[in-house]
Amino acid sequence: MPEILFESSFWLAVLQIIAIDILLGGDNAVVIALACRKLPEEQRRRGIFWGVAGAIGLRVVLIFFALQLLALPYLKVVGALLLLWIGIKLLQPEDDDAHGNIEGSTHLWGAIKTIIIADAVMSLDNVIAVAGAAKGNLGMVVFGIVISIPIIVWGSKFVLKLMDRFPIVITFGAALLGWIAGDMVTGDVVVKPYLVDAPSWLHYVNAAAGAIFVVATGKFLASRKTAAAAPLHEIPLAANKDHS
């Protein structure tokens, strides 16, 4: 492990994991706030701490199984398709009532349970993306999550404001998911034998194609959705003139 810390590929993958957790984990901070909002003041910090700790542990377990599953034939292809869909979805306008079903609890354990269950339900996109970026290295996953979770919990307001002010951040995030998806396909155990004699730069081209596809498709669908949601202005009809 100490040797790998000096490799640029390790830090690049860790930065990808942190970016994925921040972009796809913004909802986690909202869930934590909603779940703990009814707790007494002195219990809120404990609720947040144990809820986050449980969510981290559960996510690491889920990613561990995802890493094992991605070693199976065609699973990386399926994971790449899911990532493309997640990246496109990231560029779509959000619904304001997405968290309306998160109930606050007046008991510490109830709040902790709510945080963990909600995180598990909402973490599918995060788990697939992180597993794809980690390329089989669970230590890298743990390291990236441990760094990114505090950023999500305590810096979520800043991150959300940054995304609102600079929408290009979201676009870069969606492109990153497309990049990982394109790269993931070339690593599938079924696809690898066909790429033995392929040039080394092919996986970069494939990754870039995935990024371009996600951004182009996501922007196109978002523009159509925005146009469809725009209010229709009534055109006043000219009064009929009486020619009698």
Side-chain angles (χ1 to χ4, degrees):
M1 185 70 178
E3 293 81 8
I4 202 172
L5 293 176
F6 296 99
E7 295 180 10
S8 57
S9 59
F10 171 83
W11 290 106
L12 180 61
V14 168
L15 287 174
Q16 286 182 344
I17 291 170
I18 293 171
I20 290 165
D21 277 329
I22 292 173
L23 286 163
L24 300 181
D27 285 347
N28 295 62
V30 179
V31 167
I32 290 167
L34 290 174
C36 296
R37 71 185 184 275
K38 293 181 180 179
L39 287 177
E41 190 67 34
E42 66 274 8
Q43 289 189 350
R44 283 185 186 175
R45 286 187 181 180
R46 282 191 289 165
I48 291 172
F49 175 82
W50 288 112
V52 170
I56 291 174
L58 181 61
R59 186 172 299 185
V60 169
V61 171
L62 291 174
I63 293 173
F64 170 77
F65 284 108
L67 290 174
Q68 308 308 309
L69 289 174
L70 288 179
L72 297 175
Y74 297 109
L75 257 295
K76 282 191 177 181
V77 175
V78 174
L81 292 174
L82 282 171
L83 276 187
L84 290 175
W85 175 75
I86 292 164
I88 292 169
K89 187 181 175 186
L90 190 64
L91 292 171
Q92 306 310 301
E94 293 184 359
D95 297 325
D96 293 333
D97 59 347
H99 301 96
N101 59 344
I102 302 294
E103 294 289 339
S105 176
T106 56
H107 303 288
L108 180 61
W109 171 242
I112 294 170
K113 187 171 65 173
T114 298
I115 293 170
I116 295 173
I117 292 174
D119 186 80
V121 171
M122 295 160 51
S123 288
L124 177 61
D125 54 355
N126 192 295
V127 166
I128 296 169
V130 169
K135 297 181 179 178
N137 192 325
L138 187 62
M140 193 183 292
V141 169
V142 176
F143 189 68
I145 290 178
V146 167
I147 292 175
S148 57
I149 289 293
I151 297 174
I152 294 169
V153 175
W154 289 285
S156 59
K157 288 185 179 179
F158 170 75
V159 172
L160 291 173
K161 284 181 181 178
L162 188 69
M163 291 178 182
D164 287 338
R165 187 166 183 179
F166 303 105
I168 192 69
V169 174
I170 300 291
T171 304
F172 278 129
L176 172 62
L177 295 177
W179 179 281
I180 293 171
D183 189 44
M184 189 187 292
V185 170
T186 60
D188 192 276
V189 293
V190 175
V191 178
K192 269 185 178 181
Y194 296 98
L195 302 177
V196 173
D197 298 322
S200 58
W201 45 261
L202 181 63
H203 74 279
Y204 291 112
V205 173
N206 209 45
I212 293 169
F213 173 79
V214 165
V215 173
T217 307
K219 291 286 187 183
F220 173 71
L221 293 177
S223 64
R224 288 191 61 180
K225 194 171 182 179
T226 302
L232 297 175
H233 298 285
E234 292 185 2
I235 301 174
L237 298 175
N240 292 327
K241 292 182 179 180
D242 187 7
H243 298 288
S244 56

